[in-house]
Amino acid sequence: MGGRVLSVASEAVPLVKTGGLADVVGALPAALAAEGWEMRVLLPAYRSLRPLLAKGGGFAEVMREDDLWGGPGRVYAGESGGLSLYLLDAPHLFDRDGGPYNGSGGDFGDNAQRFAALSWIGARIGREGVAEPGARAGAALWKPDVLHAHDWQAGFAPAYLALHGAGGCASVMTVHNIAFQGHAPAALLGDLRLPASAFHADALEYYGGLSSLKAGLVFADRIITVSPNYAAELMRPAYGLGLEGVIAARAGVVSGILNGIDTALWSPEAEAQNPYSARAMAGKAKARAALEAEFGLSVPGPLAVLVSRLTDQKGVDLLPAALPDFIAAGGGLAVLGSGDPWAEAQMQALAAQFPGRVAVRIGYDEGLSHRMFQGGDAVLVPSRFEPCGLTQMYGLRYGTLPLVAAVGGLADTVIHASPAALSAGVATGITFWPTDALALSQALRQLIRLYADRPTWAKMRRAAMAQDNSWTESARAYAALYQGLRA
Ligand code: ADP
Ligand code: GLC
């Protein structure tokens, strides 16, 4: 049992992160090691990562390609942040200011080529294997049994394996978010090293152009979504966003494996300030007082928190309509996030409208996010769609009850406080549907009522904190999937 997997992705904690994708890619290797699978991660050597490649950093060149879309590419192998890495150094593609996908002028114009290059190298490692750093000539290569591609950035990798030779390497495509599809014009087909013979609707063609995500969905041996519910949703137009037919056509190889969370990192017992546990909750009350002080809040009722990218996906634009009644009933809200300027402005306007009750920090702050999960009573996740979602699981673990839209992984992880669930003692939060201001307002009203009912609230907290959201089960599911592909 067990084997080797190359994970191909654009982000991984602790090296580079814009969202939950990075948490998952960063957590999978340790989770799978426990199941006997050795996973290495291929990432681009962005400007921020190039210092790792300096002499003495422990990275060694193991593969090169002279012309990788306009310049040379070199692959370095080494260890960093607890991960076994392959870093693709192609300065003409990745040594830039800005984030992984964009600079001050918006999305990079050559993202198709940049991530095709990553996928190309991933497929080469899968097909050919790669020498271990410092190995003698003729020594055994590191050759993965499975290439595991994440999202559109790695979507061409399964296609390159299928169309240029797989060398016995199987492929898995995980969809973390179907809203990002890696569109490119059809004119790039040859430049992207894709054969014209595969440019038809059952393979590479997507509404007259290309989509690297579609390529991965068509050519991967297995398709995984990050929650079971999202797998079902993606076969419907409302959530498939144009790719529903592609997914439905492959339904026999599609399944959902729920993300886990890193329970060493996200643990109320392990916090330096105000630790607490289900059996000794005093630290949580202190954490709430500290959080109110930090945000300049004074809230008589439940204190809700929201830690999120501020984008249309996350439904934060529903708050201006839904919040006033909640505030009037004694509630409060602390927001941490960054994203679309309109959404940031909307959050700041709410803070101005309700001083002392609503406060907002625009930015990205891991430490503050921990204090918010510690000190909050409830975490809001009013997403329009949510492939899995991680913050509701942090909330469960911290006894900060999730109030979530019943979509995607949110519906798979939160048990709504229905009369039946309450009397059975299994309720862990509040879910609402559809994602609109009316349903959100109703859910916030229920939050006020439940919070006022102290015994019920305490019981829900205990149930939430007892839920297992670790990687254990999901790592087993991934290992079984890999094993099946190997056999
Ligand atoms: P998505 O990947 O769609 O953004 P997830 O819930 O899967 O949503 O993951 C988001 C991750 O990013 C979580 O780990 C969350 O705590 C973190 N996060 C989002 N915004 C911020 C922020 N402003 N500061 C700190 N952490 C944040
Ligand atoms: C995406 C999704 C999010 C999911 C994360 C990790 O960013 O938006 O729901 O939790 O990927 O899979």
Side-chain angles (χ1 to χ4, degrees), residues 49-435:
L49 301 185
R50 293 191 83 222
L52 290 172
L53 305 180
K55 247 193 157 60
F59 277 77
E61 185 180 325
V62 291
M63 185 184 262
R64 72 168 63 191
E65 178 140 339
D66 292 336
D67 183 14
L68 203 56
W69 282 278
R74 290 189 169 75
V75 180
Y76 291 83
E79 310 267 327
S80 181
L83 301 173
S84 267
L85 294 171
Y86 291 111
L87 291 178
L88 170 58
D89 190 34
H92 59 294
L93 300 174
F94 300 118
D95 186 12
R96 303 179 179 178
D97 275 335
Y101 319 115
N102 43 42
S104 52
D107 280 356
F108 295 126
D110 58 351
N111 274 344
Q113 290 89 337
R114 294 171 78 230
F115 292 101
L118 180 76
S119 303
W120 180 262
I121 292 295
R124 262 193 71 189
I125 295 175
R127 181 188 308 122
E128 302 166 17
V130 65
E132 294 287 29
R136 280 172 288 107
L141 301 177
W142 191 84
K143 191 169 181 314
D145 303 291
V146 179
L147 181 151
H148 190 157
H150 297 273
D151 273 355
W152 70 270
Q153 298 90 335
F156 282 135
Y160 289 140
L161 284 175
L163 297 168
H164 291 264
C169 181
S171 60
V172 173
M173 179 84 230
T174 287
V175 184
H176 295 264
N177 195 334
I178 210 152
F180 303 107
Q181 304 185 344
H183 297 156
L188 284 183
L189 190 70
D191 184 38
L192 294 174
R193 305 182 185 176
L194 296 164
S197 60
F199 190 69
H200 54 82
D202 293 331
L204 294 174
E205 189 268 341
Y206 186 56
Y207 293 104
L210 292 165
S211 149
S212 57
L213 181 59
K214 173 175 174 179
L217 294 172
V218 168
F219 286 105
D221 295 308
R222 295 284 185 281
I223 298 169
I224 297 297
T225 61
V226 290
S227 68
N229 190 34
Y230 194 53
E233 286 176 346
L234 286 185
M235 297 183 200
R236 319 255 168 213
Y239 294 99
L241 307 180
L243 285 166
E244 57 277 4
V246 177
I247 307 240
R250 302 214 64 206
V253 297
V254 177
S255 48
I257 299 180
L258 204 57
N259 289 331
I261 59 170
D262 184 335
T263 49
L265 203 65
W266 294 99
S267 163
E269 296 88 348
E271 297 288 350
Q273 300 293 320
N274 304 319
Y276 59 90
S277 68
R279 267 170 295 127
M281 290 291 282
K284 188 161 181 65
K286 288 190 202 140
R288 171 169 160 163
L291 188 64
E292 286 192 63
E294 180 167 2
F295 271 93
L297 292 169
S298 171
V299 179
L303 173 59
V305 298
L306 188 148
V307 178
S308 183
R309 291 186 290 119
L310 300 176
T311 66
D312 184 63
Q313 172 187 345
K314 302 297 180 178
V316 291
D317 53 296
L318 304 176
L319 288 171
L323 218 49
D325 285 350
F326 177 65
I327 302 297
L333 174 68
V335 176
L336 168 63
S338 65
D340 294 338
W342 62 261
E344 294 182 354
Q346 216 171 35
M347 294 304 105
Q348 274 162 332
L350 281 172
Q353 189 183 349
F354 300 110
R357 289 299 198 82
V358 178
V360 175
R361 295 281 180 280
I362 298 298
Y364 186 92
D365 187 335
E366 197 95 21
L368 178 56
S369 76
H370 277 257
R371 295 194 292 283
M372 292 171 72
F373 290 110
Q374 277 186 286
D377 295 305
V379 55
L380 307 187
V381 195
S383 305
R384 295 201 159 78
F385 64 92
E386 196 61 76
C388 179
L390 299 175
T391 61
Q392 84 281 10
M393 293 196 268
Y394 302 154
L396 289 167
R397 194 153 168 79
Y398 282 75
T400 303
L401 300 185
L403 184 157
V404 306
V407 295
L410 301 173
D412 279 336
T413 50
V414 179
I415 301 175
H416 177 60
S418 65
L422 284 171
S423 70
V426 297
T428 58
I430 297 169
T431 70
F432 65 92
W433 196 85
T435 303

